PDB file of all heavy atoms in Angstrom:
ATOM      1  N   PHE B 390       8.823  -2.825   4.209  1.00 98.00           N
ATOM      2  CA  PHE B 390       8.123  -4.038   4.605  1.00 98.00           C
ATOM      3  C   PHE B 390       6.841  -3.760   5.383  1.00 98.00           C
ATOM      4  O   PHE B 390       6.048  -4.667   5.600  1.00 98.00           O
ATOM      5  CB  PHE B 390       9.070  -4.962   5.396  1.00 98.00           C
ATOM      6  CG  PHE B 390      10.350  -5.262   4.679  1.00 98.00           C
ATOM      7  CD1 PHE B 390      11.536  -5.395   5.375  1.00 98.00           C
ATOM      8  CD2 PHE B 390      10.373  -5.388   3.286  1.00 98.00           C
ATOM      9  CE1 PHE B 390      12.724  -5.659   4.710  1.00 98.00           C
ATOM     10  CE2 PHE B 390      11.562  -5.660   2.607  1.00 98.00           C
ATOM     11  CZ  PHE B 390      12.740  -5.795   3.314  1.00 98.00           C
ATOM     12  N   LEU B 391       6.659  -2.514   5.792  1.00 98.00           N
ATOM     13  CA  LEU B 391       5.352  -2.173   6.383  1.00 98.00           C
ATOM     14  C   LEU B 391       4.255  -2.382   5.343  1.00 98.00           C
ATOM     15  O   LEU B 391       3.105  -2.661   5.690  1.00 98.00           O
ATOM     16  CB  LEU B 391       5.343  -0.726   6.890  1.00 98.00           C
ATOM     17  CG  LEU B 391       6.055  -0.497   8.215  1.00 98.00           C
ATOM     18  CD1 LEU B 391       6.131   0.997   8.529  1.00 98.00           C
ATOM     19  CD2 LEU B 391       5.381  -1.239   9.354  1.00 98.00           C
ATOM     20  N   SER B 392       4.615  -2.291   4.065  1.00 98.00           N
ATOM     21  CA  SER B 392       3.609  -2.501   3.024  1.00 98.00           C
ATOM     22  C   SER B 392       3.076  -3.927   3.035  1.00 98.00           C
ATOM     23  O   SER B 392       2.012  -4.199   2.488  1.00 98.00           O
ATOM     24  CB  SER B 392       4.167  -2.173   1.640  1.00 98.00           C
ATOM     25  OG  SER B 392       5.134  -3.134   1.237  1.00 98.00           O
ATOM     26  N   ARG B 393       3.800  -4.840   3.649  1.00 98.00           N
ATOM     27  CA  ARG B 393       3.292  -6.219   3.768  1.00 98.00           C
ATOM     28  C   ARG B 393       2.007  -6.254   4.590  1.00 98.00           C
ATOM     29  O   ARG B 393       1.199  -7.152   4.456  1.00 98.00           O
ATOM     30  CB  ARG B 393       4.368  -7.090   4.440  1.00 98.00           C
ATOM     31  CG  ARG B 393       4.236  -8.563   4.226  1.00 98.00           C
ATOM     32  CD  ARG B 393       4.321  -8.952   2.759  1.00 98.00           C
ATOM     33  NE  ARG B 393       4.654 -10.360   2.620  1.00 98.00           N
ATOM     34  CZ  ARG B 393       5.886 -10.785   2.386  1.00 98.00           C
ATOM     35  NH1 ARG B 393       6.873  -9.927   2.266  1.00 98.00           N
ATOM     36  NH2 ARG B 393       6.133 -12.075   2.274  1.00 98.00           N
ATOM     37  N   ALA B 394       1.849  -5.243   5.424  1.00 98.00           N
ATOM     38  CA  ALA B 394       0.693  -5.194   6.325  1.00 98.00           C
ATOM     39  C   ALA B 394      -0.296  -4.098   5.917  1.00 98.00           C
ATOM     40  O   ALA B 394      -1.082  -3.638   6.738  1.00 98.00           O
ATOM     41  CB  ALA B 394       1.168  -4.957   7.760  1.00 98.00           C
ATOM     42  N   GLN B 395      -0.242  -3.711   4.637  1.00 98.00           N
ATOM     43  CA  GLN B 395      -1.043  -2.550   4.207  1.00 98.00           C
ATOM     44  C   GLN B 395      -2.523  -2.726   4.507  1.00 98.00           C
ATOM     45  O   GLN B 395      -3.189  -1.788   4.932  1.00 98.00           O
ATOM     46  CB  GLN B 395      -0.836  -2.322   2.698  1.00 98.00           C
ATOM     47  CG  GLN B 395      -1.277  -0.959   2.231  1.00 98.00           C
ATOM     48  CD  GLN B 395      -0.454   0.139   2.885  1.00 98.00           C
ATOM     49  OE1 GLN B 395       0.745   0.013   3.075  1.00 98.00           O
ATOM     50  NE2 GLN B 395      -1.117   1.225   3.266  1.00 98.00           N
ATOM     51  N   ASP B 396      -3.071  -3.904   4.291  1.00 98.00           N
ATOM     52  CA  ASP B 396      -4.498  -4.114   4.528  1.00 98.00           C
ATOM     53  C   ASP B 396      -4.818  -4.037   6.010  1.00 98.00           C
ATOM     54  O   ASP B 396      -5.906  -3.643   6.401  1.00 98.00           O
ATOM     55  CB  ASP B 396      -4.923  -5.463   3.923  1.00 98.00           C
ATOM     56  CG  ASP B 396      -6.438  -5.616   3.831  1.00 98.00           C
ATOM     57  OD1 ASP B 396      -7.140  -4.608   3.621  1.00 98.00           O
ATOM     58  OD2 ASP B 396      -6.924  -6.755   3.952  1.00 98.00           O
ATOM     59  N   PHE B 397      -3.863  -4.455   6.840  1.00 98.00           N
ATOM     60  CA  PHE B 397      -4.056  -4.359   8.283  1.00 98.00           C
ATOM     61  C   PHE B 397      -4.042  -2.900   8.734  1.00 98.00           C
ATOM     62  O   PHE B 397      -4.805  -2.504   9.616  1.00 98.00           O
ATOM     63  CB  PHE B 397      -2.967  -5.147   9.041  1.00 98.00           C
ATOM     64  CG  PHE B 397      -3.239  -6.627   9.065  1.00 98.00           C
ATOM     65  CD1 PHE B 397      -3.007  -7.411   7.949  1.00 98.00           C
ATOM     66  CD2 PHE B 397      -3.726  -7.236  10.206  1.00 98.00           C
ATOM     67  CE1 PHE B 397      -3.276  -8.786   7.954  1.00 98.00           C
ATOM     68  CE2 PHE B 397      -3.986  -8.616  10.235  1.00 98.00           C
ATOM     69  CZ  PHE B 397      -3.758  -9.377   9.106  1.00 98.00           C
ATOM     70  N   ILE B 398      -3.196  -2.109   8.115  1.00 98.00           N
ATOM     71  CA  ILE B 398      -3.144  -0.697   8.450  1.00 98.00           C
ATOM     72  C   ILE B 398      -4.427  -0.019   7.998  1.00 98.00           C
ATOM     73  O   ILE B 398      -5.007   0.806   8.712  1.00 98.00           O
ATOM     74  CB  ILE B 398      -1.900  -0.053   7.793  1.00 98.00           C
ATOM     75  CG1 ILE B 398      -0.621  -0.674   8.387  1.00 98.00           C
ATOM     76  CG2 ILE B 398      -1.898   1.456   7.974  1.00 98.00           C
ATOM     77  CD1 ILE B 398       0.659  -0.372   7.613  1.00 98.00           C
ATOM     78  N   ARG B 399      -4.889  -0.381   6.823  1.00 98.00           N
ATOM     79  CA  ARG B 399      -6.157   0.150   6.331  1.00 98.00           C
ATOM     80  C   ARG B 399      -7.304  -0.148   7.305  1.00 98.00           C
ATOM     81  O   ARG B 399      -8.087   0.730   7.652  1.00 98.00           O
ATOM     82  CB  ARG B 399      -6.451  -0.471   4.944  1.00 98.00           C
ATOM     83  CG  ARG B 399      -7.738  -0.003   4.291  1.00 98.00           C
ATOM     84  CD  ARG B 399      -7.988  -0.757   2.967  1.00 98.00           C
ATOM     85  NE  ARG B 399      -8.460  -2.114   3.164  1.00 98.00           N
ATOM     86  CZ  ARG B 399      -9.748  -2.468   3.316  1.00 98.00           C
ATOM     87  NH1 ARG B 399     -10.685  -1.547   3.316  1.00 98.00           N
ATOM     88  NH2 ARG B 399     -10.058  -3.732   3.498  1.00 98.00           N
ATOM     89  N   MET B 400      -7.367  -1.401   7.729  1.00 98.00           N
ATOM     90  CA  MET B 400      -8.452  -1.780   8.635  1.00 98.00           C
ATOM     91  C   MET B 400      -8.261  -1.145  10.019  1.00 98.00           C
ATOM     92  O   MET B 400      -9.231  -0.847  10.706  1.00 98.00           O
ATOM     93  CB  MET B 400      -8.532  -3.306   8.764  1.00 98.00           C
ATOM     94  CG  MET B 400      -9.079  -3.994   7.524  1.00 98.00           C
ATOM     95  SD  MET B 400     -10.783  -3.487   7.095  1.00 98.00           S
ATOM     96  CE  MET B 400     -11.694  -4.088   8.542  1.00 98.00           C
ATOM     97  N   ALA B 401      -7.013  -0.948  10.404  1.00 98.00           N
ATOM     98  CA  ALA B 401      -6.764  -0.324  11.720  1.00 98.00           C
ATOM     99  C   ALA B 401      -7.341   1.092  11.755  1.00 98.00           C
ATOM    100  O   ALA B 401      -7.815   1.538  12.801  1.00 98.00           O
ATOM    101  CB  ALA B 401      -5.270  -0.314  12.021  1.00 98.00           C
ATOM    102  N   ALA B 402      -7.307   1.766  10.629  1.00 98.00           N
ATOM    103  CA  ALA B 402      -7.881   3.102  10.574  1.00 98.00           C
ATOM    104  C   ALA B 402      -9.400   3.028  10.770  1.00 98.00           C
ATOM    105  O   ALA B 402      -9.990   3.864  11.455  1.00 98.00           O
ATOM    106  CB  ALA B 402      -7.555   3.794   9.255  1.00 98.00           C
ATOM    107  N   ILE B 403     -10.013   2.021  10.184  1.00 98.00           N
ATOM    108  CA  ILE B 403     -11.458   1.861  10.367  1.00 98.00           C
ATOM    109  C   ILE B 403     -11.757   1.479  11.822  1.00 98.00           C
ATOM    110  O   ILE B 403     -12.808   1.838  12.368  1.00 98.00           O
ATOM    111  CB  ILE B 403     -12.004   0.793   9.391  1.00 98.00           C
ATOM    112  CG1 ILE B 403     -11.688   1.195   7.941  1.00 98.00           C
ATOM    113  CG2 ILE B 403     -13.519   0.629   9.565  1.00 98.00           C
ATOM    114  CD1 ILE B 403     -12.028   0.132   6.914  1.00 98.00           C
ATOM    115  N   SER B 404     -10.819   0.799  12.440  1.00 98.00           N
ATOM    116  CA  SER B 404     -10.951   0.472  13.868  1.00 98.00           C
ATOM    117  C   SER B 404     -10.667   1.663  14.766  1.00 98.00           C
ATOM    118  O   SER B 404     -10.730   1.518  15.988  1.00 98.00           O
ATOM    119  CB  SER B 404      -9.961  -0.662  14.232  1.00 98.00           C
ATOM    120  OG  SER B 404     -10.321  -1.870  13.616  1.00 98.00           O
ATOM    121  N   ARG B 405     -10.302   2.783  14.168  1.00 98.00           N
ATOM    122  CA  ARG B 405      -9.942   3.977  14.945  1.00 98.00           C
ATOM    123  C   ARG B 405      -8.811   3.651  15.939  1.00 98.00           C
ATOM    124  O   ARG B 405      -8.785   4.162  17.058  1.00 98.00           O
ATOM    125  CB  ARG B 405     -11.149   4.496  15.732  1.00 98.00           C
ATOM    126  CG  ARG B 405     -12.298   4.945  14.866  1.00 98.00           C
ATOM    127  CD  ARG B 405     -13.634   4.807  15.607  1.00 98.00           C
ATOM    128  NE  ARG B 405     -14.779   5.375  14.898  1.00 98.00           N
ATOM    129  CZ  ARG B 405     -15.332   4.904  13.808  1.00 98.00           C
ATOM    130  NH1 ARG B 405     -14.824   3.834  13.224  1.00 98.00           N
ATOM    131  NH2 ARG B 405     -16.362   5.473  13.255  1.00 98.00           N
ATOM    132  N   ALA B 406      -7.931   2.805  15.487  1.00 98.00           N
ATOM    133  CA  ALA B 406      -6.835   2.393  16.364  1.00 98.00           C
ATOM    134  C   ALA B 406      -5.756   3.462  16.408  1.00 98.00           C
ATOM    135  O   ALA B 406      -5.586   4.239  15.472  1.00 98.00           O
ATOM    136  CB  ALA B 406      -6.236   1.072  15.859  1.00 98.00           C
TER     137      ALA B 406
END
Side-chain angles (χ1 to χ4, degrees):
Chain B
F390 306 144
L391 283 173
S392 70
R393 200 61 160 262
Q395 197 63 39
D396 194 32
F397 280 76
I398 296 167
R399 180 184 75 87
M400 288 299 296
I403 302 173
S404 293
R405 298 153 173 71

